[in-house]
Amino acid sequence: MVGALLVLLLTPTAAAAQSYGTTPPDEVLALFDEGAAAAFTTDGAAPTEITFGTPRTVHRFTHAYTRGDARGDVLEPDGTWIAPAFAADGRSLGTALVWYPDGQPDPEVAVVEWDPQLARRLAAAPADPLIHVAEANQWFTLDGDQLRGLDGSQLSVAEYGQSLAAHLAGVDATGDPTSSQAGGTQVLVPDSAILQPRGIATALVIGGVVVLAAILVRRRLLPRADRDETSS
């Protein structure tokens, strides 16, 4: 009995016991050193003397964790690396996300996000495993059994896992039982991802443009008489 208690006391929790690799490959580090700045283009010209903070390996939650099992690996690398970008005067510009395109031997800049606040938060984040929840565009670091948001929030690994599992139980009940909607997903970066903005404001703008385009197309397809009647 005493021996069993000692084993329990000396055994770290699953989240604390895991060790996640955080060092990017040499080719990725070289890209940030030599060529990634060219992706920050404005009016066809790259800003001069762009520097990058320390590149970080981006992790995602594993499929098992998002389904309520926190006994094994909670995180896994998602195949991308990110670093904050700064101007010559020290101003935060945004972030650059690097990946290996399918079938390509060399890394490339996949996404440039002009988000100075994210760049500052990323530069100030502790050197713990970095996690991106793409569906909510949330960033965390993992410290033992605690998730620390780059926005200052904090919650336990167990608590967050339970909330994910509760949410995804409904998703799995109505769809693919192996769905990996929130964790264990493939990295999807469209070909036009460079300078791709994110966020609610962007979604509203894009939605407005789509609606406006649909109205214009409809008007162009209507006979002239119908257009005049519609206008009146």
Side-chain angles (χ1 to χ4, degrees), residues 32 36-41 50-56 58 80-87 91-99 108-125 130 132 137 139 150 193-198:
F32 279 111
F40 284 79
T41 58
I50 283 187
T51 60
F52 292 97
T54 303
R56 306 278 296 268
V58 181
T80 66
W81 298 266
I82 193 171
F86 304 94
R91 287 180 298 111
S92 299
L93 295 176
T95 60
L97 189 77
V98 168
W99 74 330
E108 297 179 1
V109 176
V111 176
V112 167
E113 188 165 1
W114 296 88
D115 188 341
Q117 184 180 60
L118 176 59
R120 289 191 294 269
R121 289 176 173 177
L122 185 60
L130 179 70
H132 186 215
N137 199 21
W139 292 89
L150 298 195
I194 298 297
L195 308 182
Q196 176 185 351
R198 296 177 182 170

Side-chain angles (χ1 to χ4, degrees), residues 165-197:
H167 167 69
L168 290 171
V171 174
D172 291 344
T174 57
D176 181 358
T178 62
S179 169
S180 51
Q181 175 182 324
T185 57
Q186 295 296 318
V187 178
L188 300 178
V189 181
D191 293 337
S192 58
I194 298 297
L195 308 182
Q196 176 185 351

